[in-house]
Amino acid sequence: MTSRNLVVIGVSTGGPLTLKALFRELPPLDAAFLIVLHITPQMDYRIAQGLDAAASMPVKLAEDGEYLKSGHVYMAPGGLHLQLTGNNRVVLCEGPRVNYVQPAADVTMLSLSRPLRGKLIGIVLTGMGRDGADGIRHIHEIGGITMAQDQQSSTIYGMPKAAAQTGAVDYVLPPQKIAGKLMELLKPA
C-alpha cells in the first residue's frame, strides 16, 4: 500500500549518529520516511544498513520509480537528487549540485505538492550550510508540519539554524523529542 503520510528528513554532518538516535526511539509508524543525507555513493549502502540495524522499520536505498510504502524508511542514494511525483513515487535524477550537495534536501522537499492526502512532516537535522531551509518553507506553505533540531544536540547547527531562521519551523527540538512529536502526530503502523 502506498503511504498517505510522509516524513522527509534533511541531514548532513553528524547525520548517521543523529538518525540512529532518532530511529531507535520510534516504533513502526503509519508513514513513509524519506531521508536525504549528504552522502557519497560509496557510503550510502553501508549507512542505510547501519540505520536498518538500529531502526524498528526496514531501511533501504530508494530506487527510481518505486512507490513509498508506509512503515518503511527510504534513503536518497549518494550522488543523485531524489524528487517525488504525487508525493509518493521516487524519481532519481542527476543534475547540478544544489547548495553544494547531491542529494539535496531542498530538491526533494520542493518536489512535494498539494493536495496532501495525509500528514506531511518536514524535518531538518544537524549539518553544515543551509540545505533544507527553502524546502522547509515550502512544506510549511503547502500545509505540512515542520521541525528542526535544536542547537545543543546538533553536531553542526548550520542547516537547522537556517531552517529555523525562515520562520517556517513549527518545532525546534532534540532528536528524542522529535521522535516523541512524530509518535504524537502519526499512529502506529
Side-chain angles (χ1 to χ4, degrees), residues 17 40 74 81 89 97 113 133 143-144:
L17 289 173
T40 62
Y74 301 86
H81 289 306
R89 185 162 182 250
R97 290 169 170 257
S113 59

Side-chain angles (χ1 to χ4, degrees), residues 49-108:
Q49 272 187 313
L51 189 55
D52 184 56
S56 66
M57 297 175 269
V59 180
K60 69 186 283 285
L61 292 178
E63 293 171 44
D64 191 50
E66 84 178 313
Y67 285 91
L68 302 180
K69 289 195 199 90
S70 205
H72 287 67
V73 182
Y74 301 86
M75 210 158 137
L80 293 169
H81 289 306
L82 188 155
Q83 294 175 305
L84 291 176
T85 53
N87 293 350
N88 68 359
R89 185 162 182 250
V90 173
V91 179
L92 296 177
C93 48
E94 291 185 21
R97 290 169 170 257
V98 174
N99 300 316
Y100 309 105
V101 293
Q102 190 175 21
D106 275 343
V107 171
T108 304

